Amino acid sequence: MKECKKCKSNEYTNKQLVMMINECGHPLCKNCVDNIFALNSGNCHVCNRVLRKNNFREQIYEDPLIDKETFLRRKLRKIYNLKQDDFENLREFGDYQERFETVVYNLVFETNVNETNAEIQAFEEKHKEQIDRNKRRLDDDQKWIEDQLREERAMKARMTDHMEMDAKEQEAASAVTDTRKIMDELRDSNVAAEVILDRERKKQIEKELEEKEEQEKRKRRNKEMLQTRKRAAENMSFNTVIRVAGRAYVHQPLELVINGPPMPNVSEIEALGYLAHIRQPTAEYIAGGYTPMLGCSRALFEARIDLFSF
Amino acid sequence: MYATSTQKREWTYTPEKLAAMRLEINIKFRQKYESVMQPDELELFVTPEEELRMQRSIEDAALKFADKFRPHIWPSVKWTALAFFKRAFLVWVPSDTSIRMVMMACFYLAMKIDEFYITIEDFVKNMKSYSVGEPRQNAERILKLEPELMKILDYNLTVHCPYRPYEGHLMDMKTRMLLLNFDLESIRRDSMRFFQNALQTDVLLLYPPSQIALAAINFGLHAQVSGKSDEILREFLRKLIGIEEDSWAHRDARPEDLEKLEKTVTRVNQIMREVDRNFVAVTEQERENHKSQLARIQALIPALDERRKEQWLAGGGVGLMPGELAEQPVDSDDEIN
């Protein structure tokens, strides 16, 4: 559950809760950010680091650590953007990647921050040319992703094209037969042409109206659905509301009317030695949950029930 | 639990009510056909008492069938089946039902209810000694009767048998009556005989199973130590209810306990007397008579139905045609709409 550590508001008390996070990785809700950093800069409420308001970003991942890491990675990727062909052999490329991971780790867990920052700066200066050049270049993975995306888009476009074409064809077909039929009728029948045309026009208008109505109905239904869902969400309550109504429940233990001699209880059955007179169950029965007490009390109970019913 | 069961609510009667119900269905059947019968056919009508004897002879045969049944069935299946049978014949009359098949359907249903699983094929294989007929045909008739039977029983299918209460009583006795000079297990055989006899009487429509079980105990005691059985029963009940040895002091404290004891003893003796008096073994001669009598009236019934139809047509066809069902026959696979 998302909760602001500062003002203790959470998702349930505030539906519009937006958590913000800054470079130190300690989340705050938007309201707190607005309050504390009204003057654009202030101290983190946890680690006292000086933070600027416009460095706050919306927290995407629940775990602030992960959020911080993805943010840092995205930032560092702009500098550490060397590709495999920038290196002489695979080993060097591997070393470079490993170093990158170390840098990320250091920054996330804030170990040797100063040295790491210095290292990044040194790296940036040293490889300035390559970095600039690589800004526009894509590596194989990115290329592959782009390809996939492109293909998907093309596929979608093709599908819609097909569907549109089909629909058009169908429409055309029906329209053609209709017009042909009308023309036939105009030629063959001896009803006045205007009457036939009028009738056909009327038909068409009716059809259009029907379609319109249908569409409106669908729209209305969708809207209603949305509204009910919204209303339900508003009415949903997570507070414990105590409703006071009616009389308080008073438990009365149930009374078992035997109408016979009193039934011995479990300890009496054991003490009086009833169990000596019942067949000892086999291991299978006991494993199944049966105890001699069960059979015994059942027989005794049935022997007593309604014995005094005259 | 019996106290809240449909058995107690719907299927337990007083002897008078039972007799009245039997008379009523008998008269209803008689009225249905009386107007279309020839004078010489009227002798085919039987009295409620004779109908009851017919039921008894079927019950007798069924108990023999049950004892020969393989695999051995447990006694509660027998009890459940006969309870179904007795209940069903408070609605049907033996003359216009295939009473033997109804009994078999009762057994088949009781086996399902009592979780004594057996397939219909295995079931009809056991019927050789009981009735003639093609096994496949028998199976069909039983399966067809089953849903109808359940409907008549109003789907009240749980039957509380006295066998478990009997074990309970026996366990109580073994635990509490430590001064008996004989083995209590020895009464079991006689008690089972009592249950077998009781199955051919109406006790299961009249009394709660716990009382029938206690009667069986008393019957067994009586057979074992004839003179002292009543004394043992009283002693047992005193311990069960918790009446002190010094009963005078107790009488002042809780008079209702002693009353319960007396009433229970009276009830137990009443059940024993009931079984003793009403259990009359069916003789071979009697069975043959019933068989032929039933066969004659059942052979006549299609003709009688025909005559009623004619009469109905002659009378102008007012109302429902006789023999036409007011509602559709039940099928177990039918969904309720």
Side-chain angles (χ1 to χ4, degrees), chain A residues 24 75 93-94 98 112 135 140 208 246-247 255 270 276 283:
Chain A
C24 68
K75 205 168 109 189
F93 180 56
E98 213 169 289
N112 306 333
K135 264 183 190 158
D140 291 345
E208 272 168 22
R247 228 176 315 143
E255 197 194 349
E270 265 170 10

Side-chain angles (χ1 to χ4, degrees), chain A residues 184-246:
Chain A
D184 283 350
E185 201 180 355
L186 281 172
R187 192 178 53 226
D188 295 342
S189 76
N190 39 14
V191 185
E194 275 120 46
V195 177
I196 295 174
L197 284 179
D198 259 4
R199 193 190 62 207
E200 288 306 319
R201 257 184 231 122
K202 213 170 159 188
K203 248 191 219 164
Q204 206 166 354
I205 289 167
E206 268 171 15
K207 213 174 179 181
E208 272 168 22
L209 277 177
E210 227 169 72
E211 253 165 51
K212 230 184 208 168
E213 217 168 284
E214 185 74 11
Q215 231 166 11
E216 229 154 78
K217 245 190 222 162
R218 211 175 304 135
K219 242 189 214 164
R220 216 177 307 137
R221 210 173 320 131
N222 281 350
K223 212 171 160 187
E224 264 171 28
M225 220 142 64
L226 250 167
Q227 256 176 352
T228 47
R229 215 173 287 163
K230 217 168 159 188
R231 215 171 298 137
E234 274 167 12
N235 289 343
M236 235 183 276
S237 159
F238 294 95
N239 304 356
T240 48
V241 179
I242 300 165
R243 287 195 195 84
V244 183

Side-chain angles (χ1 to χ4, degrees), chain A residues 256-262 264 272-275 277-278 295-296 298-310, chain B residues 1-3 8 160-161 164-169 171-172 174-176 208 210-211 214 237 240-241 260-261 263-264 267:
Chain A
L256 180 61
V257 183
I258 291 184
N259 194 15
L272 287 169
Y274 276 102
L275 297 182
H277 303 300
I278 190 160
C296 184
R298 200 171 162 197
L300 291 179
F301 179 71
E302 289 205 6
R304 280 165 172 72
I305 193 84
D306 266 350
L307 190 62
F308 297 154
S309 135
F310 304 111
Chain B
M1 134 168 180
Y2 171 76
K8 182 174 180 181
H160 294 264
C161 304
R164 186 173 284 119
Y166 178 79
E167 297 303 329
H169 285 315
M171 222 186 299
D172 256 326
K174 285 178 189 167
T175 312
R176 290 173 196 250
S210 54
Q211 291 176 355
L214 198 58
L237 281 171
L240 216 52
I241 302 170
K260 274 180 195 159
L261 187 147
K263 272 191 174 169
T264 312
R267 175 54 67 87

Side-chain angles (χ1 to χ4, degrees), chain A residues 247-281:
Chain A
R247 228 176 315 143
Y249 171 72
V250 181
H251 179 69
Q252 273 175 329
L254 292 172
E255 197 194 349
L256 180 61
V257 183
I258 291 184
N259 194 15
M263 177 82 190
N265 61 30
V266 174
S267 56
E268 278 167 354
I269 289 177
E270 265 170 10
L272 287 169
Y274 276 102
L275 297 182
H277 303 300
I278 190 160
R279 200 179 335 136
Q280 287 311 303

Side-chain angles (χ1 to χ4, degrees), chain B residues 19-31:
Chain B
M21 284 172 81
R22 286 185 175 138
L23 186 64
E24 191 191 336
I25 54 165
N26 183 277
I27 290 173
K28 223 162 131 191
F29 178 71
R30 189 181 274 264
Q31 278 170 349

